[in-house]
Amino acid sequence: MLGSWRAPGPLPERPPFGEIPAPRARVVIVDKPDAGRTALYSGRVTIERASPDYYAAIVAVAVLSGYSGRLNQEIRVKRGLSYGAGAMLAVRRMPGLFLSSTLIDHTRAVEAVEVTRRRFDRWPKRRRPTKTWSNAKRWLRWILSLDRDDRRYRRQCRRAPLYDVPLGEINEYARRVQDVDAASVSAFAARGLVPDDFVVLVGDAAKFAGEIGRTHADVRVIPFDALDLGSPTLGV
């Protein structure tokens, strides 16, 4: 069907990427009074997919995630703030996001925010590998093992050119994960994470907004009905 099609001209030049924004700690609260619990997202602006720090970043996420992950241990096991908490890495061709997420009771939202921020501050400072690190790397090698007959491998092949990743790198996945050590993750945190956290809370603002306002300088409350996800200002 498209065999005879030819491009009408040369491809346009790709616009240059913008710089990672300057550090700015901010709390955005989406007020939804009828929410059963408060959804908490906390994170930092981070690397693009083609960054050499990518493998350190995915190991860091694996260390923080899962039942035995450090976020879940702090938020669920030690304090009973939630049924679970984890981390994720959203990276593309441009700088992405390093995120944590959980659901908590409205009245304990402020405590959960502070616990999450302290955990983000502490995890990259460990210099000695632990059993947690070994287990995280073993899990990554297993869950993302790139069998050539597997759909995960085909998906990686499709995405690599979009993110400026050489195709040959796909076959080096297991080795690169294994080479990550605690010092590599500390180096990633130092140069690949904007140092100020942003926090997004979706829940009954009347239960926690006032308390958060006493400890955070930049707090913005948006009524749920006024929220516009297509707007850079979220509609306000």
Side-chain angles (χ1 to χ4, degrees), residues 167-185:
L167 279 174
E169 182 180 308
I170 297 171
N171 297 320
E172 299 176 6
Y173 174 86
R175 178 186 62 79
R176 292 200 177 203
V177 166
Q178 186 58 39
D179 288 346
V180 172
D181 56 18
S184 301
V185 174

Side-chain angles (χ1 to χ4, degrees), residues 14 17 49-50 92-93 153-170:
R14 189 177 69 192
F17 296 150
R49 170 60 183 88
R92 298 292 186 268
R93 185 187 286 261
Y153 184 87
R154 296 193 295 271
R155 185 166 61 242
Q156 293 287 342
C157 289
R158 291 194 301 269
R159 290 178 177 176
L162 296 176
Y163 303 155
D164 285 338
V165 176
L167 279 174
E169 182 180 308
I170 297 171

Side-chain angles (χ1 to χ4, degrees), residues 93-124:
R93 185 187 286 261
M94 297 176 69
L97 298 175
F98 191 96
L99 293 168
S100 69
S101 63
T102 188
L103 284 170
I104 63 276
D105 184 86
H106 304 304
T107 60
R108 304 190 73 182
V110 177
E111 181 183 358
V113 168
E114 297 311 312
V115 169
T116 301
R117 295 183 72 186
R118 285 198 301 271
R119 184 71 265 177
F120 267 29
D121 284 337
R122 287 168 51 195
W123 65 260

Side-chain angles (χ1 to χ4, degrees), residues 39 41-42 65:
Y41 290 88
S42 180
S65 296

Side-chain angles (χ1 to χ4, degrees), residues 218-232:
D218 190 350
V219 178
R220 186 172 168 212
V221 180
I222 303 173
F224 182 78
D225 291 341
L227 181 66
D228 180 1
L229 297 177
S231 165

